[in-house]
Amino acid sequence: LRLQDNVYESSANSFYHAATVSVQRRFANNFSLNAHYTFSKSIDEVTDFNSDWSAENPLNVRLDRALSAFDQRHRAVFSGVFASPVRGDSFADRLLSDWVFSPIFTAGSGRPFNLLLGFDANNDGRSQSDRPLLVGRNTGVGEPFYSFDARLARRFRFKETMFLELTFEGFNLFNRTNLAGINNVVGSLPADQLRQLASTRARGNRAAAPTEPLGFTSAANPRQLQFGLRFNF
């Protein structure tokens, strides 16, 4: 008895358009700076060989042409390297010498997510791909992402090429909660709210539980700290 027969083929299309602006100051006078900004748009008809991302109508995948699940319209990264110069032989000079500080700030706009009913509304035997009436694919928009990371290093020199380096690295130093996964199964919402989804871009609901429609189900990593020790000879 065959209940379902899945056939996967590479017949979908994808399109990517982007413009990137980059400004760089090369390392000189003990510091360097980098700034990158990307404005992009990614469109496709299917994301991957995954039943959860299958087309609502597998006989016409072009009807599912929309923003990619990984589309990120804006992304900016700012970084730098700041080094303290080697000074004299006094205690204060040695204490302030050979420090290297490297900050990185990353900002990105939210990625789309797909709204699903969670049941077989059109009676085609496939319950994982049906969306609310007139709602397009990947019309939801996720939360933006912001993170500040930094690395601080101090070298203790013994000879010209021999040194001990202590490092401290911090990721998401301000411990910002970057909400990520969203419960995209919305079939239990009232009918008027389902109709409203056809004309608006749905967003996650911070007040909803993870098991409720549009509730957040995950977040990016919280603040993380690590220390290192390296001996170079």
Side-chain angles (χ1 to χ4, degrees):
L1 177 63
R2 178 180 293 179
L3 298 178
Q4 182 172 331
D5 186 11
N6 294 327
V7 178
Y8 297 101
E9 59 182 29
S10 57
S11 58
N13 299 291
S14 62
F15 311 89
Y16 180 72
H17 310 278
T20 300
V21 178
S22 176
V23 178
Q24 181 182 48
R25 183 192 186 279
R26 295 184 177 181
F27 191 82
N29 297 324
N30 300 307
F31 78 96
S32 66
L33 296 172
N34 294 277
H36 301 268
Y37 169 74
T38 300
F39 176 73
S40 64
K41 186 175 185 179
S42 179
I43 299 173
D44 59 23
E45 296 158 357
V46 66
T47 297
D48 202 352
F49 300 124
N50 187 315
S51 296
D52 291 340
W53 289 335
S54 58
E56 187 171 31
N57 181 3
L59 301 179
N60 190 351
V61 296
R62 291 193 175 185
L63 290 178
D64 265 22
R65 181 174 295 184
L67 295 177
S68 305
F70 49 83
D71 173 70
Q72 189 172 45
R73 196 59 44 85
H74 306 280
R75 179 174 174 83
V77 179
F78 305 92
S79 63
V81 176
F82 303 89
S84 61
V86 177
R87 303 174 183 272
D89 293 329
S90 68
F91 175 78
D93 288 336
R94 290 197 300 269
L95 184 64
L96 297 175
S97 298
D98 276 340
W99 289 92
V100 179
F101 177 62
S102 307
I104 302 176
F105 175 73
T106 304
S109 55
R111 293 180 170 88
F113 63 92
N114 199 28
L115 294 169
L116 299 174
L117 285 172
F119 57 87
D120 186 8
N122 56 8
N123 294 316
D124 65 351
R126 301 162 61 250
S127 60
Q128 75 277 8
S129 61
D130 291 6
R131 295 190 294 268
L133 183 63
L134 300 179
V135 173
R137 171 175 167 262
N138 287 343
T139 56
V141 56
E143 294 290 286
F145 176 89
Y146 300 99
S147 181
F148 179 76
D149 311 327
R151 181 179 190 269
L152 182 64
R154 173 66 160 89
R155 289 184 176 181
F156 299 88
R157 299 183 181 274
F158 302 102
K159 294 182 180 180
E160 184 175 353
T161 59
M162 182 183 297
F163 60 85
L164 179 69
E165 184 178 54
L166 302 177
T167 60
F168 164 77
E169 294 175 319
F171 306 94
N172 191 13
L173 278 171
F174 294 114
N175 203 31
R176 184 181 190 273
T177 302
N178 288 299
L179 295 169
I182 297 175
N183 185 347
N184 63 332
V185 179
V186 297
S188 61
L189 289 176
D192 58 333
Q193 293 187 33
L194 288 177
R195 287 192 296 268
Q196 187 179 7
L197 293 176
S199 58
T200 60
R201 297 203 66 183
R203 292 182 176 272
N205 182 1
R206 291 174 178 261
T211 55
E212 296 176 343
L214 302 179
F216 288 96
T217 59
S218 65
N221 291 328
R223 181 192 297 120
Q224 295 179 313
L225 306 176
Q226 65 183 30
F227 302 86
L229 176 65
R230 182 167 70 99
F231 182 65
N232 189 82
F233 61 93

